[in-house]
Amino acid sequence: MTPVGRHHVVSLRQLSVADAPVLASWGADDEFCRAAEWSRGLTVEQHENRWLSRLSDGFGPGLLRLGAELDGGLVGYVDLHGTDEHRRELGYLVGGRERWGRGLGAAVARAGLEHAFLALGLAEVWAEAVGANPASVRILQGLGMNETGTGEDHVYRGIPSHYRRFAITADRWRTLHHDKETS
């Protein structure tokens, strides 16, 4: 569990088919879909059917997707991609758009790192953020992730850019986490 501000806690849990309506509701916002790179122009019912299928059939090998809850409500999810037993890629999303800019992205991503290092016992986690999305870049930097290079070119919300790559080891995360716990 991860504190947000002073009073809120983000926790991770398995997603279920009961989450499909909430996830689908985020798809009703075209700007959210554009920023999250979800399919645009679908009805909420179409989004819900897609989520029901994914939640029923699973996300396939190499993708662990966990729901992020705040005060008992689903506010996003964390992805840990990869099959390497020591290293995975972190992804995260906060929905709906009305929740953006409130520190939840950092809290959800931090919860993902906690799960990666404490529950899965990974040695390293890496992530990418598109340069044209400075909020995502700041989140990864704020988590103590080191920039490791440049990824592929990408157009984000109509802005030509490229991915920036970041990584953090379990040892570095524990050092940073311990320092915050003791200060």
Side-chain angles (χ1 to χ4, degrees), residues 31-94:
E31 186 55 31
F32 172 90
C33 290
R34 186 173 180 223
E37 299 184 346
W38 284 16
S39 296
R40 294 169 55 199
L42 300 179
T43 66
V44 172
E45 182 180 5
Q46 289 170 316
H47 277 288
E48 186 168 349
N49 288 335
R50 292 176 98 183
W51 277 107
L52 285 170
S53 175
R54 290 178 187 142
L55 293 166
S56 297
D57 298 339
F59 295 99
L63 175 57
L64 173 62
R65 178 166 284 167
L66 299 170
E69 280 193 338
L70 175 66
D71 297 332
L74 189 68
V75 297
Y77 58 80
V78 166
D79 289 341
L80 290 164
H81 293 272
T83 56
D84 186 319
E85 64 185 84
H86 303 291
R87 183 176 193 261
R88 297 226 180 136
E89 178 185 7
L90 172 71
Y92 60 92
L93 177 123
V94 171

Side-chain angles (χ1 to χ4, degrees), residues 7-173:
H7 305 293
H8 301 293
V9 174
V10 170
S11 59
L12 299 182
R13 63 165 174 80
Q14 292 294 320
L15 287 168
S16 75
V17 293
D19 295 314
V22 173
L23 293 161
S25 72
W26 303 341
D29 179 347
D30 191 60
E31 186 55 31
F32 172 90
C33 290
R34 186 173 180 223
E37 299 184 346
W38 284 16
S39 296
R40 294 169 55 199
L42 300 179
T43 66
V44 172
E45 182 180 5
Q46 289 170 316
H47 277 288
E48 186 168 349
N49 288 335
R50 292 176 98 183
W51 277 107
L52 285 170
S53 175
R54 290 178 187 142
L55 293 166
S56 297
D57 298 339
F59 295 99
L63 175 57
L64 173 62
R65 178 166 284 167
L66 299 170
E69 280 193 338
L70 175 66
D71 297 332
L74 189 68
V75 297
Y77 58 80
V78 166
D79 289 341
L80 290 164
H81 293 272
T83 56
D84 186 319
E85 64 185 84
H86 303 291
R87 183 176 193 261
R88 297 226 180 136
E89 178 185 7
L90 172 71
Y92 60 92
L93 177 123
V94 171
R97 188 165 48 111
E98 70 278 1
R99 291 186 176 105
W100 292 355
R102 298 180 180 189
L104 283 173
V108 170
R110 188 176 306 111
L113 288 178
E114 288 174 5
H115 188 81
F117 295 130
L118 298 179
L120 300 180
L122 298 178
E124 183 180 57
V125 173
W126 68 281
E128 289 185 322
V130 68
N133 184 351
S136 285
V137 170
R138 281 191 306 273
I139 286 170
L140 298 178
Q141 291 169 331
L143 292 171
M145 297 184 85
N146 294 315
E147 193 156 357
T148 61
T150 302
E152 295 180 9
D153 290 340
H154 187 73
V155 176
Y156 177 74
R157 297 170 89 172
I159 302 168
S161 190
H162 63 275
Y163 283 102
R164 294 170 63 178
R165 293 187 177 155
F166 297 83
I168 188 168
T169 64
D171 289 340
R172 177 166 166 73
W173 179 83

